[in-house]
Amino acid sequence: MRIILLLLITAFVIMPLSTVGAEKAKTIDELAKMYDSSQCKSCHAEIYAQWEKSHHARPLMGVKGGLMLTPLALKKGEKGATAFSEDDPKKMKISNFPCFKCHLPQAVTSAEDSVAAELAEALLAKDSAKVGKLQITCMVCHNEKALIHKRELGAPEKGVIYGNKDVASHAGGKIKKSAIMKDSVFCGQCHGLGPNLEFDQAFQCANLYGSYLHNYVSGGGTKSCQDCHMQKGDHLIAPNFNDDKQTSELLAKALTLDVETLGYEWLRKAATYVPKVVVNTKIVSSAGHRIPDG
Amino acid sequence: MVVTASYKDKDGKVVENKQERHYHPQATNCRDTKMKYGAQWKVANIRDTAIQPHQPKKETIEFELPDGVRSADVTVDLFYEAVNPDNKYPIHSIKKTVSLDK
């Protein structure tokens, strides 16, 4: 009995360790396997279920299943093709998808160019099942994006889970403390400051973190992204734009609308009355950044 | 946001007047003056009418009524559009009746 128990525990410890290997992934399946976090489900069932419904679980088809990277995969010259497109999808490289910086950061550090070519072909074939394998998994946040002081602290260690504190005995694999899991800058790594100027073809997607810093913090705001979006560790990290009802409700809470009206007759000039309706509207937001972004 | 003022004209026909306000960051590719949608085309915001924290968004919207019309129904609809204008999330809908009589 004791031996069986021991074996079980070692299996849990070793699984995450073997997930992030030194070799780069050559296929979508290999990349998905490298960051596969399905083993977390057995113990963190609630968090896992929240995450599965989140935008982070579908970063390449976030809203209503739309395959939004498709324009990049189109042949150069074709209608809708972009500056990042090639004349043959087979020629697509990781650098042809600058979107990976935030939508799939593990592709930048851990995938060969063949993954980009395979993705381009999957996009053109509308193969949602294959594209859907590429996710911002538990290990992308709890390992890959958990350290930003690499000169001082080194790169994230392979297989180690980063959390708010050290937990040597964590049954799912060693947990080390990350300094930034509770800080807005953690989310800011992907939620955008403004134009992405480091690429040879500049472009802009999310710039919500810029708005947080320059419109919310500057106005005296003190809450972090996690304070507002991850109460009690909620990994849905709403809004979830595939849930229309919930999104409407959250937005109604976040934005108050006040309407005042006045009806009167305006005197334009002597004896010329113009009947008028005046509508005064006021919207107040309780969010920590612009709404909407992007 | 869509503000509608509707009233019945002399012949009893319902007339609707609408005014819209659009709140969102607006970007071009910095090579021409056309606004762009889609990260692959946008380079930088040139205007930002989004709703910001600490900054209430206030509007005064006016409708002129034809002579003889003494009341109008005002509806203010606030909704969110994600990715394309057909994908709408209603937020608030406020109705008021405005009369020009005391």
Side-chain angles (χ1 to χ4, degrees):
Chain A
M1 193 58 219
R2 181 160 292 173
I3 286 172
I4 291 174
L5 196 75
L6 244 178
L7 275 176
L8 255 176
I9 290 172
T10 18
F12 272 127
V13 174
I14 286 167
M15 268 196 315
L17 288 177
S18 62
T19 51
V20 188
E23 285 267 302
K24 284 196 170 185
K26 292 182 184 63
T27 63
I28 287 179
D29 279 335
E30 279 177 29
L31 183 62
K33 195 158 162 254
M34 242 182 214
Y35 287 84
D36 175 40
S37 303
S38 52
Q39 75 270 21
C40 318
K41 190 176 180 175
S42 56
C43 303
H44 297 287
E46 200 185 340
I47 287 180
Y48 199 91
Q50 292 162 343
W51 167 79
E52 272 186 312
K53 286 205 194 110
S54 77
H55 280 264
H56 297 123
R58 47 183 152 87
L60 305 188
M61 40 199 290
V63 179
K64 314 262 160 101
L67 294 167
M68 81 272 206
L69 296 188
T70 306
L72 286 79
L74 294 174
K75 280 186 190 154
K76 205 177 228 147
E78 212 174 313
K79 190 172 179 284
T82 74
F84 304 104
S85 304
E86 293 285 357
D87 51 23
D88 179 354
K90 288 196 177 63
K91 288 192 194 157
M92 292 295 279
K93 298 195 167 100
I94 297 294
S95 58
N96 289 83
F97 286 108
C99 325
F100 289 160
K101 171 185 167 187
C102 313
H103 285 262
L104 199 70
Q106 66 269 39
V108 179
T109 55
S110 313
E112 303 274 7
D113 285 331
S114 53
V115 172
E118 189 185 352
L119 174 62
E121 294 190 292
L123 288 166
L124 294 175
K126 299 193 171 62
D127 187 347
S128 301
K130 191 180 251 187
V131 177
K133 290 180 182 172
L134 297 170
Q135 301 176 291
I136 298 176
T137 62
C138 316
M139 288 305 269
V140 173
C141 282
H142 284 279
N143 176 285
E144 181 85 27
K145 294 309 234 181
L147 300 182
I148 57 166
H149 305 87
K150 298 196 182 81
R151 286 191 178 221
E152 289 172 308
L153 304 175
E157 289 172 44
K158 303 237 178 294
V160 168
I161 299 166
Y162 291 84
N164 287 322
K165 58 175 195 278
D166 289 315
V167 188
S169 58
H170 177 248
K174 190 169 173 184
I175 298 186
K176 286 198 173 181
K177 184 181 158 78
S178 148
I180 60 162
M181 293 306 280
K182 279 186 180 296
D183 292 334
S184 297
V185 72
F186 170 79
C187 317
Q189 293 177 89
C190 305
H191 278 267
L193 285 161
N196 297 284
L197 294 168
E198 70 272 37
F199 296 100
D200 53 4
Q201 175 85 14
F203 71 97
Q204 177 179 282
C205 187
N207 52 121
L208 181 146
Y209 182 49
S211 165
Y212 169 84
L213 291 174
H214 306 306
N215 289 313
Y216 176 69
V217 173
S218 66
T222 54
K223 291 204 170 89
S224 68
C225 319
Q226 291 85 336
D227 287 338
C228 292
H229 286 277
M230 295 187 77
Q231 275 183 24
K232 302 198 190 93
D234 185 356
H235 277 63
L236 171 64
I237 316 188
N240 166 12
F241 286 107
N242 286 1
D243 185 338
D244 290 43
K245 189 165 165 277
Q246 186 195 52
T247 301
S248 282
E249 286 167 5
L250 286 172
L251 286 166
K253 249 198 263 167
L255 304 173
T256 60
L257 171 64
D258 192 53
V259 177
E260 293 188 7
T261 53
L262 174 72
Y264 74 115
E265 287 163 86
W266 179 47
L267 189 57
R268 175 73 181 90
K269 59 181 187 215
T272 312
Y273 282 100
V274 181
K276 241 185 205 197
V277 169
V278 179
V279 184
N280 286 328
T281 61
K282 182 173 157 194
I283 302 171
V284 177
S285 167
S286 59
H289 41 73
R290 75 162 72 77
I291 291 192
D293 181 52
Chain B
M1 181 174 75
V2 179
V3 181
T4 312
S6 68
Y7 53 84
K8 283 201 179 120
D9 69 7
K10 294 199 292 289
D11 313 319
K13 216 179 78 195
V14 176
V15 178
E16 280 198 348
N17 282 320
K18 280 187 202 296
Q19 291 190 39
E20 298 187 3
R21 295 290 185 275
H22 298 255
Y23 302 129
H24 59 119
Q26 297 160 40
T28 67
N29 66 4
C30 300
R31 293 185 67 194
D32 58 41
T33 55
K34 291 191 178 74
M35 193 187 115
K36 298 284 188 290
Y37 277 128
Q40 62 276 14
W41 305 115
K42 294 187 291 188
V43 173
N45 295 344
I46 51 156
R47 186 173 179 222
D48 186 0
T49 58
I51 296 159
Q52 303 287 353
H54 315 300
Q55 295 172 34
K57 183 69 88 181
K58 293 183 186 172
E59 306 281 357
T60 292
I61 292 163
E62 299 185 20
F63 297 95
E64 289 184 5
L65 303 179
D67 261 348
V69 174
R70 305 298 298 170
S71 104
D73 292 322
V74 170
T75 310
V76 181
D77 284 311
L78 182 66
F79 48 85
Y80 187 105
E81 292 171 0
V83 184
N84 72 66
D86 298 330
N87 192 31
K88 282 193 174 51
Y89 304 81
I91 305 174
H92 295 293
S93 180
I94 295 180
K95 289 188 193 339
K96 300 222 164 171
T97 301
V98 186
S99 168
L100 271 69
D101 293 323
K102 270 250 170 181

